[in-house]
Amino acid sequence: MPEVGYLYFSKVDYDFIRQHFPDIFAICEQYVSSREPDIELTVTDSQTDMIDNKVLMAIGSSATDPYGNPSLEAIELEAIWNRA
């Protein structure tokens, strides 16, 4: 049986993901196990890896400025993911 873990997001962080990264938000919504006091996702290691890959792809694909730096939204997404 796969090992289960938890990811936690503040409501502000989760709303940021909803507004700026709707594809990642839709994936996360599948794993929400609690919304109080924070957003809790119950995930296996492989599910965490899958979401992690989506986050990294979003950050990388946002690097469209002339110097290849990620957008401010992608930088915030990375910070949110690190806090989770």
Side-chain angles (χ1 to χ4, degrees), residues 2-65:
E3 189 170 325
V4 173
Y6 302 93
L7 298 172
Y8 295 94
F9 299 94
S10 71
K11 291 179 182 182
V12 171
D13 286 349
Y14 201 62
D15 190 51
F16 179 88
I17 294 170
R18 182 185 61 76
Q19 290 177 7
H20 297 283
F21 300 94
D23 294 343
I24 294 172
F25 178 80
I27 293 167
C28 290
E29 276 293 285
Q30 299 174 51
Y31 304 109
V32 171
S33 53
S34 175
R35 295 187 186 275
E36 296 295 332
D38 292 323
I39 308 300
E40 176 186 85
L41 278 59
T42 302
V43 289
T44 64
D45 286 341
S46 64
Q47 291 164 337
T48 302
D49 290 344
M50 182 264 304
I51 298 169
D52 187 51
N53 286 334
K54 298 288 186 187
V55 168
L56 293 175
M57 287 173 49
I59 293 167
S61 66
S62 79
T64 57
D65 76 20

Side-chain angles (χ1 to χ4, degrees), residues 16 20-21 58-59 62 70-80:
F16 179 88
H20 297 283
F21 300 94
I59 293 167
S62 79
S71 68
L72 294 177
E73 290 83 5
I75 292 169
E76 181 61 23
L77 176 64
E78 182 178 21
I80 289 168

